[in-house]
Amino acid sequence: MDFTPTEAQAEARDLAARIFADLATHERLRAAGTGSDPELWKALCAAGLVAAVEELGLLGLVLLLEEQGRTTAQVPYAASCVYGQLAVSAHGSDEQRARLLPGIGDGSVVVTGAFPAQQGVRAAEAGPAGERPSVQGGRLSGTVPVVPWLRDATHVLVADAGRRLWLVPLGEDTGTGTGTGTEEVELTAPWSAGRLTLDAAPAEMLGGADACADVLATARTAFAGLQAGVCAGSLARAVAHTNTREQFGRPLATRQAVQLRAADAHMDTEAIRVTAYEAAWRRDAGLPYATHALTAAWWASEAGQRVVHTGQHLHGGAGADVGHPVHRHFLWGRQLDAYLGSGGEVLQELGELIAHDD
C-alpha cells in the first residue's frame, strides 16, 4: 500500500484547501444558515475540482473531502462527486458519460444519493425495505424520508428494492400529475436535505447488478474521509483554544487531563484517516474493498463522535454555544455518525459480510 499522493492529487488538495479557507469562513457559514453557499460551489467547479475527481480517483477525493471537513463548508461536494462523477464514470454507458459528466463537472448538474443507511447482507436477503422505491416499466414510486443535499440537486441516484441504481431527474412532470416531489427537511447538520417522493417518476438505469454495492462502498469511504477532516478541524480548534485559554495562571493545554483527551482524539482521527485511505487506495487499484469501506465507516462513526465530543468539551462553556465554530464540527460529526449508519449497525453489517464471504 502506498498512500503518498500523486503530484496531481497534492496540487488539487492544496488548491481545495485555499478555496475552502478563503470562502468557508465562520461569517459566511453563519450567513448561509442551513443552506448551501452557491458562490463557493461555483468556485470549486470553476477550479476544476469536481471534474478532476474522475482522474484523481477515490483517494484523491478523500484528500479533497478532508479539506472540506476541516472548514465544514456547506456545498454538495461529497454527494455530487460520489453519486454523480464517480458513479457515472464507473457504471454509466458511453452515452450517459458523454451526456452527464460535463454538466456534473461544471456544476450545472448536481447529483445526490437516496440510499438507506442499513444495507446489510441479511437486509438484502430479506427483500424490499421501506426506504427502497419500487420500479415498474422504468418508473419509480416510493418515498425516501431523508436525502442529503436534495435541495441543491438536479438529479438523485436511487437504489430500488432490487438494489439496482436509477438516475432520476428532479422536478420532471409527466403531465399526468406524476413525477417527483421534494420537501425540505432539517438535519443535525446543515446539509440542505429533503424528503423525496416518487410517483411513477421517469428514471434511467445506471450500471448493472454490482453497481449498487460499489457505489455504496465508494460513498462510505468518501464520507469517512469527510469525517476525518471534520475531526481534524475540531481538534485543531480545541488545541488552539487550550493553548491560549489560561486557568490559575497556566494554559489549559499544560494540564495532563487535557493532553490525554487531545491525544486520544488525535489517535482516533488518524485511525479514521488511514482506514479511509486504505479503502480508497484499494478501490483505485482495482482490489476488493467492501470490508475495508465498512471498516473506515465504523471508525468514522464510532471514533468520529468521540472526537467531536472531545473538541466541544475542551472548549468548556464556549463549546456549548451554538454560535461557536467548534459547535458546527460537533453537528457535522454527529450527522456523519448517523448517515454512515452508527457504529453498531456498521459493525453488524461488517460481521454479516465477513460471514457471507466465508
Side-chain angles (χ1 to χ4, degrees), residues 1-3 9 57-60 62 214 217-218 221 274-296 357:
M1 292 180 292
D2 184 5
F3 302 152
Q9 288 171 338
L58 183 53
L59 181 55
V62 166
D214 179 63
T218 300
T221 305
V274 75
T275 51
Y277 283 5
E278 180 180 12
W281 176 84
R282 290 182 65 89
R283 191 254 190 196
D284 292 343
L287 300 171
Y289 72 110
T291 55
H292 300 79
L294 278 167
T295 302
D357 290 345

Side-chain angles (χ1 to χ4, degrees), residues 100-259:
L100 295 168
L101 288 179
I104 297 173
D106 65 25
S108 59
V109 174
V110 177
V111 185
T112 190
F115 283 76
Q118 185 72 355
Q119 291 269 4
V121 174
R122 287 190 301 179
E125 292 174 346
E131 293 183 7
R132 295 176 187 161
S134 60
V135 60
Q136 185 174 7
R139 294 181 178 273
L140 270 65
S141 297
T143 300
V144 183
V146 176
V147 180
W149 307 111
L150 184 64
R151 291 180 238 164
D152 299 328
T154 61
H155 294 71
V156 59
L157 190 63
V158 179
D160 69 11
R163 293 170 69 88
R164 294 167 298 181
L165 293 182
W166 299 84
L167 194 62
V168 181
L170 294 175
E172 184 165 325
D173 197 295
T174 62
T176 60
T178 60
T180 61
T182 62
E183 179 183 351
E184 289 190 10
V185 173
E186 296 299 340
L187 303 181
T188 301
W191 280 10
S192 295
R195 174 186 177 94
L196 176 67
T197 302
L198 302 170
D199 182 10
E204 57 180 311
M205 185 179 291
L206 186 74
D210 61 340
C212 182
D214 179 63
V215 172
L216 182 61
T218 300
R220 284 169 166 157
T221 305
F223 281 95
L226 183 62
Q227 181 76 299
V230 170
C231 291
S234 176
L235 184 57
R237 291 187 182 279
V239 168
H241 175 79
T242 55
N243 272 286
T244 56
R245 179 75 169 179
E246 291 190 357
Q247 186 181 61
F248 305 117
R250 295 170 54 192
L252 288 173
T254 63
R255 309 290 176 178
Q256 187 178 45
V258 172
Q259 294 171 1

Side-chain angles (χ1 to χ4, degrees), residues 19-20 23-24 28 37-45 73-75:
I19 293 174
F20 285 127
L23 295 181
R28 288 178 62 89
D37 186 337
E39 184 178 340
L40 174 55
W41 179 241
K42 289 178 182 178
L44 291 170
C45 295
Q74 291 171 203
V75 285

Side-chain angles (χ1 to χ4, degrees), residues 4-29:
T4 304
T6 65
E7 183 177 350
Q9 288 171 338
E11 290 177 352
R13 177 196 60 198
D14 294 344
L15 176 58
R18 291 196 296 272
I19 293 174
F20 285 127
D22 289 343
L23 295 181
T25 62
H26 177 55
E27 293 73 24
R28 288 178 62 89
L29 289 169

